[in-house]
Amino acid sequence: MNILAIETSCDETSAAVVKDGREVLSNVIASQIEFHKKYGGIVPEVASRLHAECISLIIKDALDRAGKETKEIDAIAVTYGPGLVGSLIVGVSAAKALAYSLKKPLIGVNHLEGHIYANFLEGSSDSMPGTLDASFPFITLLVSGGHTSLVLVKGHGDYETVGQTRDDAAGEAYDKVARFLKIGYPGGPIIDKLAKEGNPDAIHFKRPMIEEEFGLDFSFSGLKTAVVNYVSRLPDPSSLIPDLCASFQAAAIDVLVEKSLKAAELYKCETIALAGGVSANSALRRELKAKAEAKGLAVHIPPFEYCTDNAAMIGAAGHYKRDHSSFSLSPVASARI
Ligand code: KG4
Ligand code: ZN
């Protein structure tokens, strides 16, 4: 089954053709980062206008690169939320128009489900892991710019959120710290790179909510403030930037990894999957793998190119939604993530 997938929830206009939920025939992404960079974050009105300008071209490009004509497409999958309303509406309108005119089924996909299903996609390079053949249940550490949660995946479309952030998402903390340090946007990849030149033990930032009493919940707002307070006391913070990045990142990752291991133990899962934009982080990928494997747990990390927002992951989730009889198509059930 070939699914044409569309993703416009934030600042990437993306369309993909995915075969049988695993094989990515094409995955075209038009990033708007250059347009938002100067504001240090996404401007919603600008985002939706840019989506509207290029959505048709991106869809056509995805079909061309996949070598498929519309008659070879079996269904259209589209992200319906969560995300920026003005951005979502562009993708949903395009998908509805296509489904109506081509007389194909329309499958609404929750963006967070999409991130989880990035784990089921085949990677394009040999160094990347293959598809997730996890036997359910498994724990997903879902870390993006808008969300941070631990999701127990009991089967296709059967999720339970067992922990989540009480304030900022992990990616949001990366972006805010980077904005404060004036090192660029988006902060995640920049901090990831600079941290490699710094010492993670240079500054000890308290690991937020790591204590037993907080269970599987997270908090990243205080960590961001701790970095801000520390830097405000320095006469010249510029020379310390790599150490600050490495130390901030070490604190964030310690908590993410620790709670993922705890969740796997509590819910008797043998596999932990990573998902969301922050799963592109090199230190998180390394630390989670090392610590989980030391406990005999398997770790699955999506192919690098499907960690941040893309339509291929929406195509994968759409495939299982369409194919799996027990998979709920109800937006209410999906929104529980
Ligand atoms: O999943 P995503 O593309 O969009 C949302 O659904 O939010 O995630 C974007 C987030 C941003 O906060 C970005 O800074 C972060 O993912 N990110 C990273 C890395 N690459 C992207 N964070 C840490 N390390 C990275 N290498
Ligand atoms: Zn995302």
Side-chain angles (χ1 to χ4, degrees):
M1 180 167 68
N2 293 320
I3 291 195
L4 172 64
I6 298 171
E7 152 68 40
T8 62
S9 66
C10 197
D11 63 339
E12 266 97 18
T13 316
S14 182
V17 179
V18 179
K19 188 177 171 196
D20 300 333
R22 298 194 156 219
E23 196 184 332
V24 182
L25 303 184
S26 66
N27 184 42
V28 182
I29 304 172
S31 169
Q32 305 176 355
I33 283 178
E34 287 307 316
F35 295 90
H36 299 289
K37 233 177 189 167
K38 55 179 175 287
Y39 306 108
I42 297 157
V43 183
E45 175 60 22
V46 173
S48 54
R49 278 170 189 266
L50 291 170
H51 284 308
E53 273 172 26
C54 69
I55 185 77
S56 306
L57 287 172
I58 297 296
I59 292 171
K60 181 169 181 328
D61 199 18
L63 286 166
D64 289 348
R65 284 175 195 238
K68 298 286 173 204
E69 294 180 31
T70 47
K71 63 172 187 274
E72 296 170 275
I73 296 298
D74 300 295
I76 318 283
V78 64
T79 307
Y80 66 79
L84 301 170
V85 174
S87 292
L88 286 165
I89 213 163
V90 176
V92 170
S93 305
K96 278 186 174 175
L98 271 172
Y100 183 74
S101 62
L102 301 173
K103 299 188 175 54
K104 305 284 182 192
L106 177 67
I107 310 163
V109 175
N110 179 299
H111 181 75
L112 304 178
E113 283 176 334
H115 274 305
I116 294 173
Y117 274 86
N119 280 283
F120 290 85
L121 291 169
E122 286 168 4
S124 57
S125 93
D126 290 346
S127 59
M128 289 303 151
T131 57
L132 172 66
D133 282 319
S135 45
F136 298 108
F138 61 89
I139 285 287
T140 304
L141 172 63
L142 184 44
V143 267
S144 72
H147 297 83
T148 294
S149 47
L150 284 161
V151 181
L152 172 64
V153 185
K154 300 176 200 167
H156 285 300
D158 188 3
Y159 319 105
E160 186 183 338
T161 300
V162 295
Q164 60 192 318
T165 182
R166 295 189 185 178
D167 40 57
D168 289 356
E172 190 181 351
Y174 269 90
D175 295 340
K176 285 178 174 172
V177 165
R179 188 161 61 194
F180 177 73
L181 296 176
K182 298 191 178 60
I183 53 176
Y185 171 84
I190 298 168
I191 290 181
D192 189 357
K193 193 159 167 249
L194 286 168
K196 290 184 182 137
E197 299 154 26
N199 174 8
D201 300 318
I203 307 146
H204 181 81
F205 293 116
K206 187 175 174 304
R207 277 47 179 160
M209 292 194 15
I210 203 155
E211 297 83 2
E212 201 71 33
E213 68 196 272
F214 296 109
L216 298 175
D217 280 352
F218 300 96
S219 163
F220 291 102
S221 165
L223 176 58
K224 168 202 67 195
T225 309
V227 175
V228 170
N229 289 344
Y230 187 89
V231 171
S232 307
R233 289 196 297 268
L234 296 174
D236 174 23
S238 59
S239 60
L240 262 185
I241 296 279
D243 282 351
L244 280 162
C245 290
S247 301
F248 156 76
Q249 177 164 280
I253 290 177
D254 268 1
V255 185
L256 291 169
V257 170
E258 172 86 19
K259 302 230 173 189
S260 303
L261 299 179
K262 201 185 281 178
E265 188 189 328
L266 271 172
Y267 291 93
K268 302 187 178 24
C269 294
E270 287 169 8
T271 300
I272 301 175
L274 257 182
V278 183
S279 64
N281 186 271
S282 56
L284 175 61
R285 294 162 87 95
R286 191 181 58 236
E287 290 285 307
L288 182 63
K289 215 165 166 9
K291 292 198 173 140
E293 286 176 359
K295 288 194 159 216
L297 299 167
V299 170
H300 198 279
I301 302 173
F304 187 78
E305 64 266 38
Y306 307 128
C307 287
T308 45
D309 290 352
N310 67 87
M313 66 187 196
I314 303 303
H319 173 87
Y320 288 96
K321 275 199 144 178
R322 178 149 174 75
D323 239 27
H324 224 269
S325 54
S326 65
F327 206 113
S328 167
L329 280 169
S330 136
V332 175
S334 299
R336 277 178 48 233
I337 288 190

